[in-house]
């Protein structure tokens, strides 16, 4: 099935024989999701979260972006990096996974989705700028989080953070994440972590978008700017 | 680049950079004094209101620091129910929107349905992403279809955003300020028109790349109202003289007639069939 990606990324845009032409248009038009994204596994599902800021240079092009993109009924991805690249990849994988799911006549595995992302991200690693977290629930392994950073690595992790704002919360995650948390604890952890990152990272901000994916379905939530958890160092 | 009705023919893979070597040679020959492309350094804006969408644009097109066109039309037709404002390189926005308009017409004829805004967005996103930002077109698409009123923006690199109010172009910072302050969900028609007018006005006043008149385009499920111009520039010049010259103003000094000598090389006679 995976051979039939002729209307995949190749048809979309990228040819490995591309001629390098000096780009006349300044990179200020390049919309970027410098961001903070996070995904946590719990027993029975996953919780994913992201901020909502898209920047072109120093201007916030979209302050209410939805970076949690649906790939399948129980599989979502969190996008960071170039807005155009991640939108394109997500659409391609959406198509490929949908096709695959129809062929199998059953819901696809999260690992399959993650591998499809990895295939595109690794193959076109020189041209793309995309850091993606794939998270979802399937019947075989339950809730899973896979990390596909820039370069096209694929690794499964119980909790994963990404984007420019993630550098500020590695310490917080290391000290506050404990295996075996419940869904509500995961939601609180995600909201707190994202809030801390948004506080310190200029490229992250806006509102927090959360989603929890389990066998029952997907529950989406938005935490508005004035409802964010507050912290103070003094 | 095909309409959805011709799904069987996928677009040719990769980029088409046929002209890149020619451009490089031209640039080397002209030694850096290449003609600058005409840009619509611009203010464009759109807002979704209760019954549909209002799109607005200024009318100045610049070629570096010279105004190339004072009454440029930046709101392009895509479909009877979809219009598109374009900022960036004038030729790129013009041709890209024309291409998509043709595709949507083919789709309509093939399927017998009115096209949806999201279709136009997908085709545009595909095209712009494939060319990796070489096509300098920032577009705001707005329209009303069977699923409701929609407003999208497509960036030159192929990123898409769907929002209830948008501003793009060099004057978008000024326009966005007005939009953020004045936007409410479910505006009435007059309020929406005033909001877009104020946003474009802010762009015209505060951005050197935007100016002259304001065009508006109101799209509802009942039809389209293309108001050009909605507001005229206050700084209109009035010609003080008539610049038409009557026949005989320039005196004829000499008259020389040179007959061209033609030689009959071949003569062919063909009978016309009139039966």
């Amino acid at each position: 099935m995976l051979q039939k990606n002729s209307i995949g990324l190749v048809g979309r845009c990228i040819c490995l024989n591309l001629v390098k032409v000096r780009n006349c248009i300044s990179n200020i038009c390049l919309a970027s999701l410098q961001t903070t994204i996070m995904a946590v596994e719990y027993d029975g599902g996953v919780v994913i979260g992201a901020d909502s800021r898209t920047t072109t240079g120093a201007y916030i092009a979209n302050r209410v972006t939805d970076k949690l993109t649906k790939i399948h009924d129980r599989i979502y991805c969190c996008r960071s990096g170039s807005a155009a690249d991640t939108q394109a990849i997500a659409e391609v994988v959406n198509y490929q996974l949908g096709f695959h799911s129809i062929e199998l006549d059953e819901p696809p595995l999260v690992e399959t989705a993650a591998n499809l992302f990895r295939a595109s991200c690794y193959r076109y690693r020189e041209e793309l700028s995309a850091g993606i977290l794939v998270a979802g629930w399937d019947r075989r392994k339950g809730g899973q989080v896979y990390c596909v950073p820039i370069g096209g690595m694929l690794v499964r992790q119980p909790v994963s953070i990404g984007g420019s704002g993630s550098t500020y919360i590695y310490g917080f995650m290391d000290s506050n994440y404990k295996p075996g948390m419940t869904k509500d604890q995961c939601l609180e952890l995600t909201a707190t972590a994202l809030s801390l990152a948004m506080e310190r990272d200029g490229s992250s901000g806006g509102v927090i978008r959360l989603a929890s994916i389990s066998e029952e379905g997907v529950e989406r939530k938005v935490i508005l700017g004035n409802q964010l958890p507050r912290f103070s160092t003094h | 680049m095909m309409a959805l009705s011709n799904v069987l023919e996928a677009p040719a893979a990769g980029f088409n950079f046929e002209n890149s070597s020619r451009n490089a040679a031209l640039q080397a020959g002209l030694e850096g004094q290449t003609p600058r492309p005409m840009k619509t350094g611009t203010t464009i804006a759109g807002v979704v209101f209760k019954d549909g969408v209002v799109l607005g644009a200024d009318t100045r097109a610049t070629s570096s620091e010279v105004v190339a066109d004072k009454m440029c039309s930046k709101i392009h037709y895509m479909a009877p129910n979809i219009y598109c404002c374009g900022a960036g390189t004038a030729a790129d926005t013009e041709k890209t929107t024309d291409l998509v308009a043709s595709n949507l017409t083919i789709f309509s004829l093939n399927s017998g349905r009115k096209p949806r805004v999201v279709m136009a967005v997908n085709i545009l996103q595909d095209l712009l992403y494939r060319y990796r930002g070489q096509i300098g077109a920032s577009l705001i698409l707005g329209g009303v279809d069977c699923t409701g009123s929609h407003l999208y923006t497509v960036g030159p690199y192929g990123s898409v955003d769907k929002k209830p109010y948008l501003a793009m172009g060099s004057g978008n910072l000024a326009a966005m300020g007005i939009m953020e302050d004045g936007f409410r969900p479910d505006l009435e028609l007059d309020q929406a028109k005033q909001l877009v007018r104020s946003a474009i006005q802010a762009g015209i006043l505060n951005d050197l790349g935007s100016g002259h008149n304001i065009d508006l385009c109101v799209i509802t499920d009942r039809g389209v109202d293309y108001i050009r111009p909605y507001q005229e520039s206050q700084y209109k010049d009035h010609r003080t003289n008539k610049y038409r010259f009557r026949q005989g103003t320039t005196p004829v000094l000499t008259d020389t007639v040179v007959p061209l000598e033609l030689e009959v090389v071949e003569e062919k006679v063909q009978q016309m069939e009139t039966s």
Side-chain angles (χ1 to χ4, degrees):
Chain A
M1 171 268 145
L2 288 174
Q3 249 110 35
K4 294 181 192 162
N5 63 351
S6 54
I7 316 184
L9 213 58
V10 173
R12 255 277 149 137
C13 86
I14 317 248
C15 173
L16 288 174
N17 299 328
L18 70 89
V19 175
K20 296 244 185 281
V21 177
R22 196 161 58 94
N23 195 347
C24 320
I25 298 159
S26 97
N27 276 340
I28 213 78
C29 293
L30 182 62
S32 173
L33 305 173
Q34 309 289 42
T35 192
T36 316
I37 49 177
M38 180 166 158
V40 195
E41 279 175 28
Y42 66 90
D43 183 23
V46 290
V47 164
I48 54 175
D51 73 307
S52 69
R53 186 171 286 185
T54 311
T55 50
T56 51
Y59 178 66
I60 299 172
N62 191 351
R63 60 182 172 88
V64 286
T65 327
D66 185 6
K67 302 180 190 176
L68 308 175
T69 308
K70 183 175 141 178
I71 302 297
H72 206 265
D73 293 338
R74 299 281 185 280
I75 307 176
Y76 270 63
C77 76
C78 309
R79 304 179 288 117
S80 74
S82 154
D85 287 345
T86 52
Q87 280 178 3
I89 299 172
E91 260 198 62
V92 163
V93 173
N94 192 337
Y95 159 76
Q96 291 174 331
L97 201 64
F99 195 90
H100 172 70
S101 170
I102 289 172
E103 277 188 328
L104 256 54
D105 196 25
E106 69 177 37
L109 300 176
V110 187
E111 193 172 349
T112 313
N115 271 295
L116 287 172
F117 269 108
R118 189 271 314 257
S120 295
C121 290
Y122 182 71
R123 183 144 187 236
Y124 300 109
R125 56 185 304 172
E126 304 301 327
E127 286 86 18
L128 293 174
S129 168
I132 297 176
L133 297 179
V134 185
W137 179 93
D138 64 33
R139 228 162 41 100
R140 201 182 287 184
K141 294 187 189 166
Q144 299 146 73
V145 169
Y146 292 88
C147 181
V148 184
I150 295 179
M153 173 183 88
L154 172 64
V155 71
R156 181 181 170 186
Q157 291 176 309
V159 61
S160 194
I161 47 180
S164 60
S166 66
T167 53
Y168 302 99
I169 49 173
Y170 275 104
F172 175 79
M173 293 307 299
D174 286 339
S175 53
N176 288 66
Y177 171 74
K178 287 164 185 39
M181 294 201 294
T182 65
K183 180 173 103 167
D184 289 317
Q185 287 175 322
C186 285
L187 282 165
E188 211 187 291
L189 178 74
T190 310
T192 313
L194 288 174
S195 188
L196 284 166
M198 281 154 67
E199 185 78 30
R200 285 292 178 179
D201 181 31
S203 315
S204 307
V207 304
I208 294 182
R209 293 195 189 272
L210 292 169
S212 74
I213 309 170
S214 63
E215 182 175 7
E216 285 82 47
V218 177
E219 254 178 64
R220 297 203 62 158
K221 223 164 60 127
V222 178
I223 303 181
L224 297 180
N226 55 354
Q227 298 160 350
L228 291 172
R230 260 183 254 253
F231 310 92
S232 176
T233 47
H234 46 262
Chain B
M1 227 276 317
M2 288 294 152
L4 294 181
S5 58
N6 302 353
V7 170
L8 295 169
E9 241 189 277
F15 315 110
N16 186 348
F17 280 122
E18 279 170 358
N19 285 333
S20 57
S21 45
R22 176 208 74 172
N23 291 346
L26 277 175
Q27 246 176 345
L30 288 165
E31 278 151 19
Q33 306 215 322
T34 43
R36 299 295 305 276
M38 185 165 98
K39 291 188 128 265
T40 56
T42 244
T43 310
I44 49 176
V47 83
V48 175
F49 71 102
K50 213 168 66 167
D51 305 317
V53 174
V54 177
L55 298 171
D58 72 305
T59 59
R60 175 181 287 182
T62 51
S63 189
S64 296
E65 61 282 345
V66 178
V67 174
D69 191 353
K70 289 188 283 196
M71 265 302 267
C72 160
S73 167
K74 301 185 191 178
I75 307 184
H76 308 287
Y77 166 89
M78 280 223 173
N81 55 330
I82 305 173
Y83 275 71
C84 176
C85 306
T89 311
D92 287 342
T93 57
E94 189 73 46
K95 276 307 168 191
T96 312
T97 47
D98 268 352
L99 202 58
V100 179
S102 308
N103 270 293
L104 293 181
T105 315
I106 293 174
F107 167 80
S108 287
L109 292 169
N110 258 319
S111 65
R113 290 169 212 243
K114 287 215 302 216
R116 301 192 191 183
V117 186
V118 72
M119 280 180 59
V121 172
N122 283 331
I123 298 173
L124 273 171
Q125 181 180 34
D126 204 48
L127 176 69
L128 292 174
Y129 186 63
R130 217 172 334 129
Y131 280 93
R132 308 287 273 159
Q134 298 294 319
I135 297 183
S138 305
L139 307 163
I140 293 187
L141 273 114
V144 179
D145 58 33
C146 57
T147 52
S149 328
H150 305 285
L151 190 66
Y152 288 89
T153 175
V154 187
Y157 283 82
S159 55
V160 169
D161 277 318
K162 179 180 197 311
K163 285 199 282 183
Y165 58 96
L166 285 166
M168 292 289 266
S170 54
N172 79 326
L173 260 61
M176 208 49 176
I178 303 289
M179 285 284 195
E180 288 280 15
D181 190 44
F183 175 79
R184 308 268 176 280
D186 293 325
L187 287 164
E188 295 292 336
L189 172 62
D190 288 314
Q191 295 171 313
K193 279 159 81 170
Q194 277 311 308
L195 179 63
V196 175
R197 185 214 74 91
S198 307
I200 308 290
Q201 174 90 321
I204 288 174
L205 291 174
N206 296 290
D207 175 43
L208 297 178
S210 313
H212 301 288
N213 307 339
I214 299 178
D215 290 345
L216 277 194
C217 182
V218 182
I219 311 170
T220 56
D221 52 12
R222 282 186 306 278
V224 172
D225 189 12
Y226 194 122
I227 313 166
R228 178 173 156 84
Y230 180 73
Q231 181 186 283
E232 291 209 324
S233 159
Q234 307 136 291
Y235 306 101
K236 247 185 120 80
D237 55 3
H238 300 280
R239 297 243 163 85
T240 50
N241 235 342
K242 275 206 154 96
Y243 296 101
R244 282 193 68 101
F245 300 95
R246 51 167 180 80
Q247 273 254 3
T249 309
T250 310
V252 177
L253 296 177
T254 48
D255 214 333
T256 318
V257 176
V258 178
L260 289 171
E261 275 168 25
L262 298 170
E263 200 183 290
V264 177
V265 175
E266 193 187 315
E267 196 173 319
K268 233 198 290 189
V269 176
Q270 195 169 40
Q271 291 276 20
M272 259 179 61
E273 280 163 19
T274 50
S275 51

